[in-house]
Amino acid sequence: MAEGTGNRAIEMEKQSLMSSNMSGATTAPQVTVVEAYDEMSRLAADVVQSTIESAPGSAMTLPTGDTPRGMFDELVRRIDAGVVDFSQVHLFSLDDYLGVSIDDEASLTRWLRDAFLIPGDIPEEKLHLIPADADDPHAAAERYEGDLLALGGLELAIVGLGPNGHIAFNEPGSEPDSRTRVVDLTPESREQNAAYYTGDQDIPSQAITMGLGTILSARRIVLIVSGEGKAEILSRSLHGPMTSDVPASWLRLAESRLEIIADRAAAAQLTLT
Ligand code: PGA
């Protein structure tokens, strides 16, 4: 099926995930499979754009990592072209290492700043950065949740998928009702993230992350996934048991509020109806 988004035609297939709880196709998450990374990025940018158009002052969270880089590049192009206006958006960051400041090389907030906040000229007043270097991170995490609640919760959460099934830094063991909190990182995630840097980057052993419950309460959740390296974990997340061993599997609790945008390589092991 070919669909137009703006002046580009993106080849994609929209399909439903087979509903594991037999609740019927209408409540099943929707999976959109696109040919490659660039299309995934443009579709994710489309979701951000349409969310802003329908609810300009809403709260949203966007991820960091290799997966969303193309989405941010696309959003910056649209901001420059005047088609996307972030001036009213309350942007909440998803996660960061505990105790790092934005000046730290490893900081994910710094990554977000360099990839999007500066190039997109995002106004500071409506930015809500996860309190990674707060004196009392536990109290600050509660305030973060309170700030989000005061704004009516998340209109949109775009998230990536970790190789171990983590969502943000909700590592294996995370419960679906978890909220913003301090977490221990698995060796696997620390290794994954060390690979983002050249040279010997010391990755902290703890992080602060928006919880699965926080993300699950968003009115729209979009999981973006790219590359064959994610094919197996995506399949386990969508077809396997809902379990804390694979935190992403809990996203299915959102039923039709969840959409997956995957490129063909990442979707290779999915069974779609
Ligand atoms: P990646 O990370 O986008 O760099 O693959 C995803 C994640 O760990 O959430």
Side-chain angles (χ1 to χ4, degrees):
M1 172 171 60
E3 284 202 7
T5 55
N7 55 7
R8 307 163 316 276
I10 295 181
E11 293 293 328
M12 62 180 172
E13 294 159 28
K14 277 189 188 293
Q15 294 174 298
S16 289
L17 194 62
M18 275 197 289
S19 178
S20 59
N21 61 7
M22 305 304 283
S23 58
T26 51
T27 59
Q30 189 179 65
V31 183
T32 300
V33 180
V34 292
E35 205 44 50
Y37 179 80
D38 286 353
E39 285 102 314
M40 179 205 73
S41 302
R42 289 203 293 271
L43 284 187
D46 287 349
V47 174
V48 173
Q49 180 175 340
S50 65
T51 301
I52 296 174
E53 283 167 359
S54 59
S58 57
M60 67 173 69
T61 188
L62 303 174
T64 54
D66 286 340
T67 314
R69 198 174 272 284
M71 174 191 76
F72 284 123
D73 289 347
E74 180 64 22
L75 284 172
V76 169
R77 275 193 286 276
R78 295 184 194 189
I79 289 168
D80 285 348
V83 282
V84 169
D85 175 7
F86 254 81
S87 62
Q88 304 304 312
V89 175
H90 284 273
L91 180 60
F92 283 74
S93 61
L94 203 49
D95 53 5
D96 205 343
Y97 302 106
L98 189 68
V100 303
S101 78
I102 200 161
D103 299 322
D104 196 308
E105 185 75 22
S107 160
L108 298 182
T109 306
R110 177 191 179 116
W111 186 98
L112 187 67
R113 180 194 69 181
D114 295 346
F116 184 55
L117 305 180
I118 291 178
D121 205 9
I122 304 302
E124 270 179 36
E125 311 85 72
K126 295 190 170 63
L127 264 183
H128 305 262
L129 298 174
I130 199 141
D133 60 353
D135 290 340
D136 182 346
H138 302 283
E142 268 184 46
R143 280 199 300 277
Y144 201 64
E145 286 279 332
D147 291 348
L148 186 53
L149 207 59
L151 289 163
L154 289 168
E155 189 66 32
L156 172 68
I158 297 196
V159 292
L161 176 64
N164 65 354
H166 72 208
I167 293 292
F169 271 140
N170 291 284
E171 295 276 49
S174 296
E175 298 295 333
D177 60 355
S178 53
R179 292 279 158 179
T180 303
R181 69 201 186 289
V182 172
V183 292
D184 294 331
L185 293 175
T186 58
E188 194 180 1
S189 290
R190 294 177 72 198
E191 218 169 276
Q192 172 202 353
N193 287 35
Y196 297 146
Y197 307 96
T198 49
D200 274 346
Q201 186 61 46
D202 197 18
I203 299 298
S205 59
Q206 287 189 303
I208 181 163
T209 183
M210 209 179 255
L212 285 174
T214 322
I215 293 164
L216 276 167
S217 63
R219 283 178 281 288
R220 189 174 184 185
I221 303 167
V222 179
L223 176 67
I224 52 174
V225 196
S226 169
E228 61 183 343
K230 298 280 177 72
E232 191 193 342
I233 191 64
L234 180 61
S235 170
R236 285 176 64 202
S237 303
L238 300 187
H239 298 314
M242 282 199 253
T243 164
S244 292
D245 293 343
V246 183
S249 66
W250 291 124
L251 293 182
R252 280 147 55 199
L253 288 172
E255 302 193 318
S256 58
R257 288 181 293 115
L258 171 65
E259 300 155 50
I260 296 97
I261 305 175
D263 63 17
R264 199 162 292 287
Q269 294 183 28
L270 297 184
T271 309
L272 300 166
T273 55

